[in-house]
Amino acid sequence: RGTVTASVLVQGYADALEWKYIDELPVQQIGERLGVGPKAAESLLTRARQAFRDAFRTLAPAWVGDGQGRNLP
């Protein structure tokens, strides 16, 4: 499901998340690849993580719960 969710993200977000969590690159290197500084790269990663969570909740609402069988808003 993560691949499906990543496919609906803005490409820069998907790339940044892949580099951070799959390739395990440091923020400095991610920034270099994107042509931005480390602070901008960290901000982009924050927005990318939020976009991923939002997309995942939209695509798989039954999987996103609070551990008590209740879906999160």
Side-chain angles (χ1 to χ4, degrees), residues 2-4 7 9-10 12 14-16 23-24 39-40 44 48 50-51 58 61 65 69 73:
T3 302
V4 172
S7 71
L9 295 178
V10 173
D15 289 341
D23 299 338
E24 299 181 350
K39 293 280 188 189
L44 185 135
Q50 184 61 54
T58 298

Side-chain angles (χ1 to χ4, degrees), residues 23-44:
D23 299 338
E24 299 181 350
L25 295 179
V27 172
Q28 177 74 30
Q29 258 188 305
I30 294 168
E32 289 170 5
R33 287 184 176 200
L34 295 171
V36 299
K39 293 280 188 189
E42 190 57 54
S43 293
L44 185 135

Side-chain angles (χ1 to χ4, degrees), residues 15-72:
D15 289 341
L17 291 173
E18 181 177 337
W19 295 332
K20 177 71 175 166
Y21 298 106
I22 304 298
D23 299 338
E24 299 181 350
L25 295 179
V27 172
Q28 177 74 30
Q29 258 188 305
I30 294 168
E32 289 170 5
R33 287 184 176 200
L34 295 171
V36 299
K39 293 280 188 189
E42 190 57 54
S43 293
L44 185 135
L45 282 164
T46 298
R47 291 190 306 274
R49 284 189 292 267
Q50 184 61 54
F52 183 89
R53 282 191 295 269
D54 292 346
F56 187 85
R57 285 182 174 140
T58 298
L59 294 172
W63 290 8
V64 181
D66 64 0
Q68 305 296 316
R70 298 178 297 225
N71 285 345
L72 297 174

